[in-house]
Amino acid sequence: MFSQKGDTIMHGVIKEMTYRFRKPLAPRLKSGMRHVVIHHTADGNASPEAIHRWHIARGWSGIGYHFVIDKDGVVYRGRPYWARGAHCDGSNNATGVVLVGDFTTTSPTDKQVMALRSLLFFLTAKEGSLTIKRHCDLNPTSCPGRYFPWPINISSDENIHKQRMPLLKRGMSGRAVSVLQTELNERGFRVDVDGKFGAQTEAAVKRFQKKCNMRVDGVVGRKTWAALGYGFSG
């Protein structure tokens, strides 16, 4: 499931981390994997390594969240996916996801929200329908803050396309290019939908690739199509 390194979500690749836990971790119930609890760090400069240190200082084995999303929308792996978390009293079998920031005073970045939606879609694809809760829905806390957007809508990601698309690059034309241009527009990367892969489309592709933390070359191959929700015909 998440045992392989380099898991790819629509937003990019989950970044692997190495942690030294103080004591052996306990496995969690498989039923808990269909539940997600969302948190904020309440610290705008937190990093996965810092969170790991904080949780050890509390007497825990180490980082208690399964995933960390920073302000640039990078998704980091936290506690191993198979292991019971340490993030929500009474619900530590659920998947813990934390976003860096204090959302009692400010909102998460657009990149964080995009990454969270992509991660939730990825978990849905793996586990089936999810029950998604905020920390404050389960425990007496303000986490993840009043500026955290709720509910999180992943419906547009749930309509992931099944067809396989070809390699595209500047100078090409046709229906696949029109599909590409339409998808870019839906994500805010404005481009004319004319079926012609010109300089404007190439520039939009590069901006999208940069936002998804992938190689920026303007060529729409396997990873770029996957980030847009399509298969790849090669």
Side-chain angles (χ1 to χ4, degrees):
M1 190 161 297
F2 287 96
S3 60
Q4 298 299 314
K5 293 185 176 181
D7 284 319
T8 302
I9 60 178
M10 290 174 68
H11 181 69
V13 177
I14 296 172
K15 188 169 182 178
E16 302 295 335
M17 302 294 293
T18 300
Y19 306 98
R20 179 174 294 181
F21 291 93
R22 293 178 60 249
K23 51 188 176 182
L25 302 174
R28 59 176 170 148
L29 299 176
K30 183 169 177 56
S31 59
M33 296 177 182
R34 297 186 68 176
H35 298 265
V36 177
V37 181
I38 299 173
H39 306 256
H40 71 164
T41 60
D43 183 311
N45 297 311
S47 66
E49 297 90 343
I51 295 169
H52 183 61
R53 292 193 299 269
W54 297 342
H55 288 187
I56 286 177
R58 291 186 180 185
W60 303 348
S61 296
I63 187 168
Y65 308 111
H66 295 93
F67 299 98
V68 180
I69 303 177
D70 72 10
K71 291 183 177 181
D72 290 325
V74 179
V75 180
Y76 296 87
R77 203 180 301 272
R79 183 168 292 212
Y81 188 71
W82 57 263
R84 188 164 65 238
H87 57 87
C88 182
D89 289 345
S91 298
N92 282 320
N93 277 303
T95 299
V97 180
V98 67
L99 282 68
V100 174
D102 182 354
F103 308 139
T104 64
T105 60
T106 188
S107 300
T109 67
D110 290 343
K111 290 181 179 180
Q112 283 180 302
V113 174
M114 176 186 289
L116 175 61
R117 293 178 65 207
S118 296
L119 177 61
L120 292 174
F121 174 75
F122 182 53
L123 293 172
T124 299
K126 295 293 184 182
E127 306 295 350
S129 179
L130 298 176
T131 298
I132 304 168
K133 299 286 188 181
R134 298 167 297 179
H135 191 188
C136 62
D137 295 325
L138 301 167
N139 291 162
T141 175
S142 62
C143 177
R146 63 192 181 102
Y147 290 105
F148 179 81
W150 189 255
I152 286 292
N153 177 19
I154 63 171
S155 60
S156 63
D157 288 343
E158 290 172 350
N159 295 320
I160 188 167
H161 301 278
K162 301 299 182 182
Q163 67 256 51
R164 302 173 71 83
M165 304 299 286
L167 180 81
L168 295 178
K169 57 185 177 180
R170 188 168 178 173
M172 301 180 75
S173 62
R175 175 185 170 276
V177 177
S178 295
V179 170
L180 168 66
Q181 291 167 333
T182 299
E183 294 292 342
L184 290 170
N185 272 305
E186 288 185 357
R187 289 161 175 78
F189 300 90
R190 300 304 175 194
V191 61
D192 295 334
V193 182
D194 58 8
K196 299 177 182 179
F197 199 130
Q200 183 192 53
T201 299
E202 183 181 56
V205 169
K206 287 181 177 179
R207 292 196 302 273
F208 175 71
Q209 290 172 329
K210 182 177 181 180
K211 191 167 186 177
C212 291
N213 300 303
M214 63 177 64
R215 181 181 178 183
V216 179
D217 58 8
V219 176
V220 185
R222 184 181 305 278
K223 290 185 177 180
T224 304
W225 276 123
L228 291 168
Y230 288 77
F232 183 62
S233 61

